[in-house]
Amino acid sequence: MGLRRTLRADVGNVISVVYVVGTELSVNLNRSAPPSSKFFSVKCSSTVQCSIQPPSQETSLLLPQTLQRNQLLLVTMSQASQSENESKLSVRYYGEKKEVLGNAILHLTAVEISLDVDADRDGKVERNNPNKNSWKWGKDGYGAILLVNCDTEQSYWKKPDLEKDSITKVSDLKDMSPMVLRTRGPAKLPEGYKLTMHISKSDAESIRVFRSGTSGKSTNTISGSFLYSFFVQSHPLVLGGNVLSEEVPYVGGDSEWNYYVEGIRFLDRDFDGSVRIHLSLLEPVTRGIPDTPIFTDTVLFRVAPWIMTPNTLKPVEVFVCRVPDNNKLLQQLEVIVARGGYKLNICSQFETRGDRWIQDEMEFGYIDSPHHGFPVVLDSPRDGKLADFPLEELLGPDFGYVTRTPTEKKSNSLDSFGNLEVSPPVTVNGKNYPFGRIIIGVAFPTAETGRNMTQVVQDFLWAQKVQDPVALFSDWLYVGHVDEFMSFVPAPDRKGFRLLLASPDAAYKLFKGLQNDGHGGARIFEDVKDAEPESVDEILGDEDLQLANNYVQNCIDWNRDVLKRELGLENADIIDLPILFKLVMSKKSRKKKALAYYPDMVNMIVLGKDLAIPKPFGPKVNGVCALETEVRSLLEGLGLTCTFIDDFTTYHKKFGELHCGSNVRREPFKEKWWNMEM
């Protein structure tokens, strides 16, 4: 039995009572009895079930029973009433000689009330699911899911729909979670009784609730036909903002009211994603005295997290900015993208205002629920000349937008999203991360100050839970982004991927091998206009360069150990790419920071099995770049195709590479986040 409600009986008066099917009424017989009462009996309609606690020795409650201290009469009804006060219950009290001392009479009206959601996550709003007010992770879990309504249904409305408190198009309903109020009972409730829906003030900051303008039979399916069948011109706001409580209709008979719940806030440091909506039946007392709740039904929603997509997922579309000096690069990239059958979006100079670093401006992800899902772009606090692009060019129907704005400081280079990556799925010490783990770069954990990703973005990323972040040390780099020394590529074996790390040691080993084989005079940057050629012998003879790269290798090895530990990797899961760095003085920090010495091949674009890699212009052996040859030997055995693209002038000389100048939207995971074991 569900909720037990204590009920007062009054000798000499008739009390009208509304009973909610599935609950239990409890009458303290001794408390209600007249003075000197010794016995009692109970008579009730056939629709009412009664029992005594503790049990009586008498077989029938119609016979006088000995009245015991703290004896309870428990009352239930199994179905809704056809009319008001149609069921009766009377308690008769007797004295010492079984003389009648008085009667307490109850007139009962039974109603069925349930506030329902898709608690079993099958796309249907089932009736009175026992788990509708709780949450459990996993494939055998339960709990309703709520999307943040962060897309826009209007082409002219360049703000997420969550910023308006009305529904103007039927298509907006699919971004919301359905909720159904079901009632069954007489044509009307006894006088003064009413239903009210209510939320807490804190939850009002996270959700809004709209009601369909009419009631009717629900199909119980979350589909286009369901939404269109019940869409009318008026969908009033019921709860949200300053509206914490609203009386809701009771129309009698077997009825349903359809509601739509809208998420307006993502998970964050001060919001775990759980919200509750309550439905209460209120009982009148008398004029001037507040009504009292006699029954409350509660449903719980959990807001869907924002999920990043790793390089191992299939690309959907590639974004790159057109700038005056990258026409040839775009042509080469167009061939690779077309080969994979993906869409290439070349953003015009008008759209980008000459800013080429589209990776730094935004990160693609998505949100998902059993009834709907869509991509969501996370806009970085970087706010360069591309600042308006994610909102103005990407936000639209079924394409959401979210951002976090720093409050504690001005943004720095580590706030750009070349400093935000995500691993493929991994298992670490028995814990499964089916969506991978987010990776960010921060300052080294010492007392010395350094650059860090702004805290509001870090708080947002950590709050999503399903991709538990890993912090790496990236402040040693001039730009400071993790994509300057690491990337992931798909692989047919082991964990399904390889981690690529930049490695000065691998570069020196390669160059020493060239020198030993008599190629010490081979030069990097041959035929490059904007660089001075330098021989292998000169590079190996530069002691300052060697010391600088020893430092860089130490920094990368520190991160290597973190990644092995936090991603459950072994050495065989990691491939070292031969890349050298140089130290240059940072004007802002007045400290030396690292830049790639030649184009940074780890900063690549991963498009399925096609890799677009910065052309390193390394020393040539028999007319072929030795660096390219080495990278091909490391990656093509995994079934990957390496295409080297000249980005020397367009990106490398401006402290970036191909990955920095591109962005890829990918398909979402087939795995559902709510099935994850936490």
Side-chain angles (χ1 to χ4, degrees), residues 363-520:
E363 187 67 54
F364 287 112
Y366 69 95
I367 57 176
D368 194 19
S369 75
H371 67 278
H372 192 46
F374 51 84
V376 177
V377 62
L378 175 62
D379 191 359
S380 81
R382 168 181 177 262
D383 287 346
K385 293 180 180 179
L386 272 165
D388 297 332
F389 182 84
L391 189 65
E392 294 294 329
E393 303 299 331
L394 297 180
L395 177 66
D398 284 344
F399 207 122
Y401 172 90
V402 62
T403 190
R404 287 295 179 267
T405 303
T407 55
E408 75 280 5
K409 63 178 179 62
K410 185 178 179 180
S411 64
N412 64 63
S413 179
L414 270 67
D415 294 328
S416 297
F417 285 168
N419 197 34
L420 174 60
E421 297 297 322
V422 64
S423 80
V426 292
T427 299
V428 186
N429 296 325
K431 180 173 176 54
N432 188 29
Y433 295 92
F435 305 97
R437 300 189 68 177
I438 285 173
I439 296 169
I440 66 169
V442 297
F444 194 73
T446 64
E448 186 180 2
T449 58
R451 296 171 298 174
N452 274 297
M453 179 179 282
T454 187
Q455 194 61 47
V456 292
V457 173
Q458 290 196 52
D459 290 342
F460 172 83
L461 296 173
W462 256 267
Q464 307 311 306
K465 298 293 186 187
V466 297
Q467 295 176 303
D468 193 22
V470 176
L472 300 181
F473 171 38
S474 68
D475 190 35
W476 56 274
L477 289 154
Y478 187 90
V479 177
H481 298 173
V482 293
D483 70 351
E484 296 177 73
F485 65 87
M486 61 166 291
S487 185
F488 296 96
V489 295
D493 56 359
R494 297 188 63 80
K495 295 177 172 61
F497 69 90
R498 293 290 191 275
L499 167 64
L500 307 184
L501 288 179
S503 173
D505 280 356
Y508 273 105
K509 182 177 181 179
L510 175 65
F511 284 7
K512 288 175 182 177
L514 292 175
Q515 188 181 58
N516 291 341
D517 291 339
H519 300 292

Side-chain angles (χ1 to χ4, degrees), residues 518-531:
H519 300 292
R523 300 191 300 173
I524 64 172
F525 304 147
E526 288 278 10
D527 305 321
V528 177
K529 292 181 183 179
D530 299 325

